[in-house]
Amino acid sequence: MAKYGEGDKRWIVEDRPDGANVHNWHWSETDCLPWSKTFFTKSLSNLTILDGETNLHIKTKKVEKVDGEAYVNVRKGKIIPGYEISVNLSWEGEAKDGEGKTLLKVDGNVEIPYISDENADEDPEVKVTVKDEGPIGKTLKEAMLTKGKPLVLEKVRDYVKTMAKGGPAKDELEAKKLAPKNSNSSCNSAGVSKEKVVVEKEVKKEAKKEGKKGFKTITMSEKFNCRAKDMYEILMDENRWKGFTQSNARISKDVGGQFSIFDGSVTGSNLELQEGKLIVQRWRFGSWPDGIDSTVRLVFDEPEPGVTIIKLTHTDVPEEDRYGNATVVENTERGWRDLIFNKIRAVFGFGI
């Protein structure tokens, strides 16, 4: 599972006041671990399991710990939850005789070691322990397993369903859908007509293309534990692209052929191909101004069998997108590293 935060930021872009994800091939991401801790604390604390049945009284006490990571990615309105967490909570039990006198009081622990989005359709393992392993203690433990485990799993299922709907990001998504877009206004807040803004942007765009001002070049060198032909095949095979990016892809393997990756957010064509040695492509992002393309050059070097070095040169990357966001270069570089190269290492086992 991809990690939230540093090292896998998924080309996140800043929020706009209108709620639009202007880099429509990027991901917006919400850290859900604090919310997950609150969810389980509320749903699993002070939960009555048995209240006198067979003279047993059992209840959960509190959630001691929620560890791991949890996030929700939203891409083009599609909710993609990710989580790998463990939950630990305490419980207490009391056994009484027929006259209501206490025979034994015990404390115990419930551990759910692995709740994961990869196993969302399966109930996780639930471990129950008790500090007193005597006959009565074991009776209370078995009662906790028999009656308490189903209740705990019910709360886990509630968590999985809530995360699938967006978790803490759900309300924000709904608010953005309902937010007014002021699409009927012909002027912006400063009183400048939209027509004037469009003309100024077109002039600015043409100036950039002619003088290459406002464009940057991204260079990277990445090492992989595989043969060069294997990396070449992965980058030119649409089914493998779908696998490691979890998004739709269409890729021609011919020079002059077209490609579309990341659900159509990036499009382009093949300019030069040498199997296992070189890929040169024209790349265009959907959020870029019209008429602007970049060039991607991937050189494959295999200094020794089983070790491949890819040298990336991505030229003519605009500093701003069509909306004026100045994070294009940073997001693109991060995307190459985290959404392509690191994902290939993780999925295909090519890490060094």
Side-chain angles (χ1 to χ4, degrees), residues 143-272:
M144 180 63 186
L145 274 169
T146 303
K147 299 294 183 179
K149 180 179 175 179
L151 293 177
V152 170
L153 288 175
E154 179 183 337
K155 303 303 181 183
V156 173
R157 294 186 202 109
D158 289 342
Y159 172 81
V160 171
K161 292 177 182 177
T162 305
M163 283 291 287
K165 295 178 181 178
K170 180 182 179 182
D171 292 340
E172 181 180 351
L173 287 171
E174 293 299 324
K176 287 183 177 180
K177 289 179 181 179
L178 297 174
K181 297 182 179 180
N182 297 324
S183 58
N184 295 327
S185 174
S186 61
C187 295
N188 61 20
S189 59
V192 180
S193 68
K194 290 184 177 179
E195 291 79 4
K196 183 177 180 181
V197 172
V198 170
V199 171
E200 288 178 347
K201 285 189 175 181
E202 289 298 320
V203 172
K204 184 178 181 182
K205 178 184 70 178
E206 291 302 319
K208 284 182 177 181
K209 289 198 68 179
E210 292 175 3
K212 294 299 179 184
K213 294 181 180 179
F215 289 79
K216 296 292 184 180
T217 296
I218 296 171
T219 59
M220 300 176 68
S221 180
E222 298 286 325
K223 185 182 290 187
F224 298 87
N225 188 22
C226 66
R227 302 301 299 266
K229 64 180 182 65
D230 296 329
M231 279 298 301
Y232 179 92
E233 290 174 359
I234 288 172
L235 291 169
M236 292 301 298
D237 184 83
E238 62 185 42
N239 289 322
R240 297 182 187 182
W241 261 92
K242 293 176 184 177
F244 75 80
T245 65
Q246 294 296 295
S247 63
N248 291 324
R250 291 184 294 105
I251 301 175
S252 169
K253 296 183 179 181
D254 300 322
V255 173
Q258 307 293 308
F259 69 85
S260 171
I261 54 178
F262 291 105
D263 293 328
S265 295
V266 181
T267 57
S269 60
N270 299 322
L271 302 179
E272 186 177 353

Side-chain angles (χ1 to χ4, degrees), residues 37-210:
K37 293 178 179 179
T38 301
F39 180 94
F40 283 112
T41 297
K42 289 182 177 180
S43 60
L44 290 176
S45 298
N46 299 314
L47 188 64
T48 299
I49 309 300
L50 287 175
D51 192 19
E53 295 91 332
T54 63
N55 296 321
L56 299 179
H57 298 262
I58 299 175
K59 71 173 185 177
T60 63
K61 295 170 67 176
K62 65 177 182 177
V63 172
E64 303 290 345
K65 186 166 56 175
V66 177
D67 278 341
E69 57 189 10
Y71 61 80
V72 167
N73 282 322
V74 180
R75 188 171 188 279
K76 290 187 175 180
K78 181 179 179 181
I79 296 171
I80 306 172
Y83 47 90
E84 286 182 357
I85 60 174
S86 62
V87 179
N88 191 292
L89 62 140
S90 55
W91 65 276
E92 61 183 11
E94 181 180 8
K96 296 183 178 181
D97 61 17
E99 297 179 354
K101 295 181 179 179
T102 298
L103 298 175
L104 180 69
K105 289 184 178 182
V106 299
D107 291 315
N109 183 265
V110 175
E111 181 186 5
I112 313 171
Y114 190 67
I115 304 173
S116 171
D117 62 284
E118 296 177 355
N119 304 316
D121 56 345
E122 302 175 8
D123 286 335
E125 178 185 12
V126 177
K127 298 179 181 180
V128 176
T129 58
V130 66
K131 293 181 179 179
D132 190 320
E133 289 289 347
I136 299 178
K138 289 183 178 179
T139 298
L140 287 164
K141 175 184 174 181
E142 289 301 319
M144 180 63 186
L145 274 169
T146 303
K147 299 294 183 179
K149 180 179 175 179
L151 293 177
V152 170
L153 288 175
E154 179 183 337
K155 303 303 181 183
V156 173
R157 294 186 202 109
D158 289 342
Y159 172 81
V160 171
K161 292 177 182 177
T162 305
M163 283 291 287
K165 295 178 181 178
K170 180 182 179 182
D171 292 340
E172 181 180 351
L173 287 171
E174 293 299 324
K176 287 183 177 180
K177 289 179 181 179
L178 297 174
K181 297 182 179 180
N182 297 324
S183 58
N184 295 327
S185 174
S186 61
C187 295
N188 61 20
S189 59
V192 180
S193 68
K194 290 184 177 179
E195 291 79 4
K196 183 177 180 181
V197 172
V198 170
V199 171
E200 288 178 347
K201 285 189 175 181
E202 289 298 320
V203 172
K204 184 178 181 182
K205 178 184 70 178
E206 291 302 319
K208 284 182 177 181
K209 289 198 68 179
E210 292 175 3

Side-chain angles (χ1 to χ4, degrees), residues 223-224 226 228 300-310:
K223 185 182 290 187
F224 298 87
C226 66
F300 300 76
D301 180 32
E302 192 171 342
E304 60 181 279
V307 176
T308 295
I309 296 175
I310 293 182

